[in-house]
Amino acid sequence: MENPLLLFPQLNISASKDKLYYKVMKSAIKEEPHKASKSGAKQKRNRLSLLLQKPEFHDRDHLGKPGNLTKAASVSPEEAVKWGESFDKLLSEKAGLDAFTKFLKTEFSEENIEFWIACEDYKKSKSTHELLPKAKTIFETFIQKDAPKEVNLDFHTKEVTSQNIGQPLPTTFDAAQSTVYRLMEQDSYPRFLRSDPYLDLVKGRNPARPALRRRSRSFTVNDFQGVRPDFTVW
């Protein structure tokens, strides 16, 4: 593992952890266009992903870093059963959020939960002064075309969000976050409840080692047009 200070010398480790996250993401985004090839860009994103998983950048897994198997094994069957009651219930508990993030990583779709978590953190900003840099970082990381972790949004939602970035409000990402929440709830969440690791938790068994990662079918917003699920986002 390379020293974070060598990768990003401008970082001040004594700064707040939330600010460090946005500095790291912003720095990586600035450097991305200067890479000469796709392989170089991919290598940069991989280094960034490894860096963001270091404990000094997170006190409560802001990026949705998944818990390890031993953590998941400590969840009681009763707790795991409650995760199946609703998607909101799953995300409201840290162990559930960790387990779901781990599952999304096996399907190469963890950008969805990372975006959702970033939006939750964004809404907790204590001043309007914090909103602009955070909004720009979220937009450049998850929403703009060819973003490093671009999420699947319909054209209208993306356009409305883009227009509000210049003067962001605490509600700037609400529509985009709700869209991604709905896609996860109707696509990934049911598969998570059918997955072997989750069923093992419900039965009180230690989770088995995950199988080889595979890319699941990428659902689009159009797949769910006309469906109106009854859920509460927050």
Side-chain angles (χ1 to χ4, degrees), residues 72-73 75 77 196-197 199-208:
V75 175
D196 289 339
L199 295 177
D200 285 339
L201 289 178
V202 171
K203 296 174 183 177
R205 298 198 298 255
N206 288 334

Side-chain angles (χ1 to χ4, degrees), residues 23 39 59 68 76 114-115 119 127 159 172-173 177 203:
K23 279 188 176 182
S39 60
D59 55 4
N68 56 34
S76 69
E114 289 181 4
F115 172 67
C119 290
S127 68
E159 280 296 300
T172 292
F173 296 102
Q177 186 183 18
K203 296 174 183 177

Side-chain angles (χ1 to χ4, degrees), residues 64-92:
K65 186 180 68 175
N68 56 34
L69 292 179
T70 57
K71 278 187 178 180
S74 67
V75 175
S76 69
E78 292 76 18
E79 289 178 280
V81 168
K82 290 181 179 179
W83 298 350
E85 294 176 0
S86 70
F87 188 46
D88 185 61
K89 181 67 175 178
L90 173 69
L91 298 187
S92 68

